[in-house]
Amino acid sequence: MIEILNSVELARARETGALVADILQTLRRRSTVGTNLLDLDRWAAELIAEAGARSCYVDYAPPFGRGPFGHHLCTAVNDAVLHGMPHDRALADGDLLTLDLAVLRDGVAADAAISVVVGSSRPAESLALIDVTERALAAGIAAAGPGVRLGDVSHAIGTVLAGAGYPVNTEFGGHGIGSTMHQDPHVANTGRPGRGYRLRPGLLLALEPWVMADTDELVTDADGWTLRSATGCRTAHSEHTIAITDDGAEILTLPRDAVA
């Protein structure tokens, strides 16, 4: 299903998007050496509840997962890249942490992810991985707009990722979003320009470039959810929810202070 939002729903989407971004920034500040992943999940649950929203993850049970996810936040560390289930682990200096959050409020969902290096260490490989996903995300957003083919957006993302020498996995990518978290269309992280669905004003998309340093192959953890690089290499993931407008693409998941 592809949803097209009206102006009232779009206004709600802006509020939900800002909430997601603000929570992620709070969690980012709290992600210090010694922080436990389960504490991050607990804090996310508290912040979501305080805002009168709900996590899109707790009851989420797609075919590729093992039962309901059961947590409010995805936390992926180092070789984990997607659907990272929080567990009893304390963050160490130099860990590469991805926080992925989707919430629903007032009938509209928003989804975003950030990758950060914990502590004072700054491993060059980790910083490069984060940088390329952020640049690919910016390229995808810049390519999006009314009348643009979806393949143009995917091509823009993939050009940055592949141009930096990283393999591109096409099993998981971005997606439509609206009254539910995951909708059509699928937004691959590589594609052919001029192909695919033509974007329309009122469409929401979650764009999410992610990479693994030296492979495009994933393996699933024993928890049935966490996806890791098959070689154990480090990974990174960046995501924004955008709205297609008459003027282009509007980023909905920016922190309120950044918008101001």
Side-chain angles (χ1 to χ4, degrees), residues 49-132:
E50 287 171 7
R54 68 178 180 85
S55 171
C56 295
Y57 297 154
V58 175
D59 299 322
Y60 188 51
F64 56 78
R66 183 185 299 165
F69 186 72
H71 294 270
H72 297 78
L73 175 73
C74 290
T75 56
V77 182
N78 295 336
D79 63 324
V81 65
L82 298 173
H83 315 150
M85 181 175 282
H87 59 284
D88 185 12
R89 172 177 178 157
L91 294 170
D93 188 50
D95 276 346
L96 201 169
L97 169 69
T98 296
L99 302 171
D100 190 350
L101 178 68
V103 305
L104 182 75
R105 187 169 69 171
D106 293 331
V108 184
D111 191 1
I114 56 174
S115 288
V116 299
V117 177
V118 176
S120 58
S121 295
R122 288 293 179 266
E125 179 189 60
S126 297
L127 296 178
L129 286 164
I130 295 171
D131 176 70
V132 77

Side-chain angles (χ1 to χ4, degrees), residues 148-169:
V148 171
R149 295 285 187 179
L150 195 59
D152 295 317
V153 177
S154 294
H155 178 72
I157 292 170
T159 296
V160 173
L161 300 179
Y166 293 105
V168 181
N169 177 290

Side-chain angles (χ1 to χ4, degrees), residues 134-145 152-154 156-157 160 207 209 242 249:
E134 291 177 346
R135 288 191 291 110
L137 179 57
I141 294 169
D152 295 317
V153 177
S154 294
I157 292 170
V160 173
L207 305 184
I242 65 171

